[in-house]
Amino acid sequence: MSQLDEGPAYLGAASESLAECTISEPERTPPRYQIVDADGSYDESQVPAIGDEELIDLYRWMVLQQVVDDRMVKLQRRGEMGTYASVRGQEASVVGCAFALEDDDWLFPYGREGAAELIQGMPLRDLLLYWRGVEDANKQAANNTFPPAIAIGTHIPVGVGFAWGMRLDDDDAIAALYHGDGHPSTGEYQAGVNFGSVVDAPALLFCPNNGYSISASFEQQTRAKSVAQKGIAWGIDGIRVDGNDVLAVYDAVKTAREHVADGNPTIVEAVTYRLDAHTTNDDPSRYRDQAEVDWWEDREPVGRFESFLQQRGVWDDIDPAAIREEANEQFDEAKAAADAFEKRDVSEMFEYLYDDLPPELERQLKDFESFLEARPDAYDYIEHRPKG
Amino acid sequence: MNATLVEAVNDALRVAMADDDHVVVYGEDVAQQGGVFRATEGLKDEYGGERVLDTPITEIAIAGSAVGLAMRGYRPVAEIQFSGFIPPAFNQLVSMASRIRWRTRGELTAPMVIRAPYGGGVRALEHHSESLEAAYAHIPGLQVVVPSTPADTKGLLLSAIRDPDPVLVLEPKRLYRSFRDEVPEGEHTVPIGEAAVRTEGEDITVISWGATMPDTLAAAETLEEERDVSIEVIDLRSISPLDRETVLESVRKTGRAAIVHEAAKTGGFAAELVATINEGALMHLEAPVGRITGFDVPMPMLAMEDFYLPNPPRIEEGIKDVLDGEGGV
Ligand SMILES: Cc1ncc(C[n+]2csc(CCOP(=O)(O)OP(=O)(O)O)c2C)c(N)n1
């Protein structure tokens, strides 16, 4: 009763000022949290408590992401890989967040975060197989990783539900839902995040804002100045962080993670830039200027972290050429393993749809197998069909 | 002019935009970039940013706003980047687009077009290769056309843009650039709801549309040589409304029929055709009607997609089964 004396919670105080009652878009783009600036300098007191070994690990993961992107694109050009989405320029965002997660946390990727999947424990071979269009690559449950959500936004409500289940189980883990800056435009995102706020889902909405959704700039995607501020409408917090500063991303996500684990979904927007094309099918010169790319190239995250490591005195303990060499060897091995991956027979299309194969599917499979036996030329046809 | 299928899309849009300044083209990446398949290339330069525009990523609002614009007298031609992303727009198609005229008793209408590349075979990512045409054809009030040649693409798209009611145009992206063919310059329409007989024949009617047409024609040609039979191949072009007469007339003549589509078998559009044939030509059948389709599984990612897609050898075997079949009435 006493509560009602003050009126229902959503009523708010009365005010004679229309201005006071107007909730406005911020006038300026909200700032982004930064520890290491573009030339690698930093304020000692700001650096998170993190050992040299871990600093070197962060560096290794970012280099691996660079090597993976470079080699995947080359393989695609040679016809040995499907369409590939490079992460170049976003290494600090992808790695910084993944590195801040705990062992039991789950990753819900959307496709542009290879290193995050690898940090979860996914074998590099499987990353290659995924981009070669092999469904078996999606068997990553043991690595607490869901298959990438290529249909934009579809993983947001699902990840929220999964996180909700974690809370119901009194689990300490959270779900990290990676997504691009185009995702908040979808209904799935808006409905999913709002729902998450109501059920107190321990879901981290991690958004590397790389400035583009294919050709659409962030300004074309929304009139909002940031992704982080969108949380306000759903009653949750948003944090903006410099996505090219791996320490800032790591620190922000570590902090956010605690809050999330208490049942407060949180958006972390890592402000960054996609230096490569959207995918290997894309020609970015159609929608952005080289000058802009150059501006960001000068601020790319791996070089920035190298300067930090130099100024920190850790660089002397590192053989960067050896780290790069090692990453290339890892890729060679993964490529050899992917090449050697036994293609299974056509039954794999039918196998996993239901717990038990229904009679009609069994019949379709049998018919198809007899067809392939009767018409082995179908294999030749498939091999020689011009591929788009 | 000699054009690919995707160039024919572009040409139709140009003709429509020049002809009617209420035609507005929009969707993800269609303006600045000219579309991921370049279907809308050059339109923004020619017609400006108010008539050709890039939208945020929301198929819900792309489809829903088209209904609103159309009710205001505009002629929206919205692109859904891949038909695999129509599902979020499904609610707007079912609950709004298809029933505006009906629920307002003719007071308001939604003359709008949604274009979407559909089908597999281009080594795309997951969700980029589906064929769900039967689901869309099941929505009363929504017309669904699926061209297979450059000329029909231009003609059907232009008819769709001028049509007083909503039309979904599914463009077979596997055929976007696979061949060139003659396309009439300037004005050229193909009536919605009219099938085309591609080759005339006496022994069996083979029906298909869109992406599987070239493979169906190739299979028919191989069989005609191999077996001394003559095959009538029908390209439906529109699946809603369906040209029942052309189908039934042909089956009454040949007494046999096979249907080819890329979509999964169960509940696929072939089922509607079998029912149509049963209703109108059952007594003429000399064998059960055959279906050569995708399997009842999701469209696999690229490593297996070719095993899912019907191919000429599979179509040949399916047609042979019907030719050899017995058990008609
Ligand atoms: C529902 C849906 N619509 C359209 C697409 C096509 N598409 C693929 S990626 C993309 C842009 C994504 O942009 P963003 O969210 O900013 O992530 P980024 O790719 O820049 O990392 C689009 C429109 C899709 N995959 N899913």
Side-chain angles (χ1 to χ4, degrees):
Chain A
M1 262 295 90
S2 65
Q3 219 181 340
L4 251 195
D5 289 344
E6 319 219 325
Y10 71 87
L11 188 61
S15 164
E16 285 171 3
S17 158
L18 185 57
E20 200 176 274
C21 300
T22 306
I23 297 151
S24 296
E25 166 73 6
E27 248 163 62
R28 274 195 227 120
T29 304
R32 62 193 199 287
Y33 177 62
Q34 188 184 67
I35 294 175
V36 179
D37 70 17
D39 61 23
S41 43
Y42 59 97
D43 175 348
E44 182 60 47
S45 66
Q46 282 241 221
V47 177
I50 170 169
D52 288 357
E53 272 313 305
E54 281 176 298
L55 290 175
I56 297 171
D57 269 354
L58 279 172
Y59 182 65
R60 266 186 227 285
W61 284 116
M62 287 199 285
V63 170
L64 181 61
Q65 180 67 66
Q66 278 188 325
V67 166
V68 167
D69 286 330
D70 179 48
R71 305 233 2 218
M72 290 285 228
V73 171
K74 283 187 181 133
L75 284 181
Q76 196 278 340
R77 298 273 176 258
R78 292 212 303 262
E80 292 184 59
M81 187 55 60
T83 301
Y84 177 70
S86 166
V87 191
R88 201 165 75 79
Q90 304 178 209
E91 296 88 349
S93 304
V94 164
V95 169
C97 175
F99 210 73
L101 300 179
E102 299 291 333
D103 279 353
D104 289 338
D105 292 348
W106 268 72
L107 174 68
F108 285 74
Y110 78 104
R112 202 187 297 284
E113 64 281 271
E117 293 171 294
L118 301 176
I119 289 172
Q120 289 289 106
M122 176 174 179
L124 183 51
R125 178 200 74 164
D126 291 358
L127 190 67
L128 271 85
L129 288 175
Y130 175 77
W131 291 103
R132 282 182 172 178
V134 175
E135 268 88 8
D136 273 353
N138 283 336
K139 292 163 78 171
Q140 302 300 332
N143 298 316
N144 292 6
T145 299
F146 190 69
I150 296 299
I152 290 182
T154 47
H155 63 318
I156 303 297
V158 172
V160 159
F162 196 87
W164 180 18
M166 287 167 152
R167 183 179 67 67
L168 293 177
D169 287 345
D170 275 333
D171 211 327
D172 289 333
I174 70 156
L177 320 185
Y178 274 58
H179 59 88
D181 47 287
H183 286 57
S185 301
T186 63
E188 280 83 355
Y189 187 91
Q190 297 173 22
V193 179
N194 182 59
F195 193 95
S197 79
V198 170
V199 299
D200 302 329
L204 172 76
L205 284 303
F206 181 68
C207 178
N209 180 347
N210 63 15
Y212 285 91
S213 305
I214 311 187
S215 71
S217 65
F218 185 61
E219 292 72 27
Q220 289 177 292
Q221 202 57 242
T222 177
R223 286 287 184 256
K225 293 200 173 57
S226 72
V227 173
Q229 75 194 58
K230 290 182 181 259
I232 296 171
W234 300 306
I236 67 170
D237 288 343
I239 298 174
R240 276 171 59 85
V241 58
D242 187 330
N244 285 10
D245 175 357
V246 70
L247 288 183
V249 174
Y250 171 81
D251 197 39
V253 172
K254 261 246 163 323
T255 306
R257 197 202 161 281
E258 294 308 307
H259 189 55
V260 170
D262 289 339
N264 304 295
T266 303
I267 298 174
V268 175
E269 174 187 10
V271 185
T272 180
Y273 191 77
R274 156 167 69 68
L275 285 169
D276 276 351
H278 170 73
T279 66
T280 44
N281 284 336
D282 176 45
D283 171 9
S285 71
R286 284 176 167 260
Y287 54 82
R288 65 185 192 186
D289 293 336
Q290 193 52 41
E292 178 187 293
V293 181
D294 293 343
W295 190 93
W296 280 97
E297 193 82 61
D298 287 342
R299 288 156 185 80
E300 72 76 40
V302 183
R304 187 192 301 193
F305 194 51
E306 285 176 1
S307 326
F308 165 82
L309 293 174
Q310 282 161 6
Q311 294 177 42
R312 183 91 176 163
V314 180
W315 194 247
D316 299 337
D317 304 334
I318 295 180
D319 180 350
I323 288 179
R324 205 159 282 273
E325 181 59 34
E326 206 181 294
N328 272 295
E329 277 164 17
Q330 254 176 284
F331 193 91
D332 290 337
E333 276 168 36
K335 159 87 168 42
D339 290 345
F341 183 76
E342 273 299 322
K343 243 206 171 156
R344 300 197 286 129
D345 57 47
V346 294
S347 66
E348 81 154 290
M349 279 195 294
F350 297 81
E351 225 173 305
Y352 296 104
L353 201 54
Y354 305 101
D355 194 5
D356 279 330
L357 200 63
E360 169 60 14
L361 269 190
E362 204 166 328
R363 214 183 48 72
Q364 290 185 12
L365 170 58
K366 258 203 201 115
D367 281 358
F368 190 37
E369 285 170 341
S370 344
F371 158 77
L372 286 169
E373 217 159 281
R375 293 292 303 264
D377 59 319
Y379 289 103
D380 302 330
Y381 176 83
I382 285 170
E383 193 162 321
H384 296 119
R385 183 180 73 77
K387 308 289 194 282
Chain B
M1 70 184 191
N2 211 24
T4 61
L5 200 147
V6 72
E7 286 164 1
V9 172
N10 190 271
D11 188 42
L13 292 172
R14 279 170 197 278
V15 171
M17 294 193 84
D19 174 56
D20 179 355
D21 61 11
H22 280 69
V23 174
V24 178
V25 169
Y26 61 95
E28 295 157 18
D29 307 291
V30 302
Q32 174 89 353
Q33 200 201 25
V36 293
F37 290 102
R38 308 286 177 255
T40 50
E41 173 129 61
L43 296 179
K44 186 184 176 198
D45 285 346
E46 207 161 320
Y47 294 103
E50 287 276 30
R51 290 185 63 195
V52 183
L53 58 148
D54 289 319
T55 66
I57 305 175
T58 161
E59 289 72 18
I60 298 174
I62 290 171
S65 67
V67 178
L69 269 180
M71 288 178 354
R72 277 298 297 186
Y74 285 87
R75 293 276 168 162
V77 186
E79 177 179 293
I80 301 279
Q81 199 165 80
F82 289 86
S83 77
F85 309 131
I86 291 177
F90 198 64
N91 189 19
Q92 290 294 326
L93 296 178
V94 175
S95 307
M96 286 288 175
S98 59
R99 48 194 295 144
I100 296 298
R101 179 189 295 278
W102 190 83
R103 76 202 285 212
T104 66
R105 309 282 92 175
E107 276 196 351
L108 294 172
T109 58
M112 56 183 271
V113 173
I114 303 270
R115 308 175 27 248
Y118 89 99
V122 303
R123 292 172 61 82
L125 295 172
E126 195 178 2
H127 310 298
H128 285 64
S129 305
E130 357 299 290
S131 305
L132 286 173
E133 67 269 24
Y136 309 128
H138 190 64
I139 305 172
L142 181 67
Q143 303 168 90
V144 183
V145 304
V146 199
S148 77
T149 68
D152 280 357
T153 299
K154 176 172 178 179
L156 283 168
L157 182 51
L158 267 177
S159 296
I161 295 170
R162 272 97 181 245
D163 196 273
D165 290 302
V167 184
L168 174 62
V169 181
L170 294 173
E171 300 166 0
K173 63 174 169 296
R174 178 148 55 107
L175 309 184
Y176 262 165
R177 293 190 168 80
S178 63
F179 65 100
R180 294 188 161 271
D181 202 5
E182 209 34 48
V183 174
E185 305 270 353
E187 190 55 33
H188 166 63
T189 55
V190 168
I192 293 173
E194 242 178 55
V197 177
R198 293 288 178 218
T199 63
E200 291 190 15
E202 301 298 326
D203 301 310
I204 183 170
T205 302
V206 179
I207 305 162
S208 191
W209 53 91
T212 41
M213 270 325 291
D215 286 352
T216 300
L217 286 163
E221 203 181 312
T222 310
L223 274 185
E224 285 191 330
E225 277 166 27
E226 211 178 282
R227 284 220 166 182
D228 192 30
V229 287
S230 84
I231 299 179
E232 181 141 307
V233 180
I234 295 177
D235 180 348
L236 282 186
R237 305 196 293 191
S238 298
I239 61 169
S240 175
L242 173 63
D243 182 354
R244 285 162 199 267
E245 277 326 300
T246 298
V247 170
L248 291 175
E249 213 170 284
S250 176
V251 176
R252 285 183 199 126
K253 173 178 71 176
T254 62
R256 294 175 194 268
I259 303 147
V260 184
H261 65 60
E262 200 170 297
K265 184 174 194 175
T266 299
F269 199 73
E272 179 60 31
L273 287 166
V274 173
T276 299
I277 292 168
N278 279 356
E279 284 163 358
L282 184 67
M283 298 309 171
H284 298 262
L285 287 181
E286 290 162 37
V289 178
R291 289 189 272 174
I292 303 116
T293 69
F295 304 110
D296 286 348
V297 304
M299 179 77 194
M301 297 206 293
L302 71 96
M304 289 302 287
E305 72 169 340
D306 263 301
F307 288 92
Y308 172 94
L309 299 172
N311 51 35
R314 196 136 80 76
I315 298 168
E316 287 162 30
E317 293 305 307
I319 298 174
K320 280 191 219 165
D321 281 348
V322 180
L323 285 170
D324 297 340
E326 285 171 25
V329 265

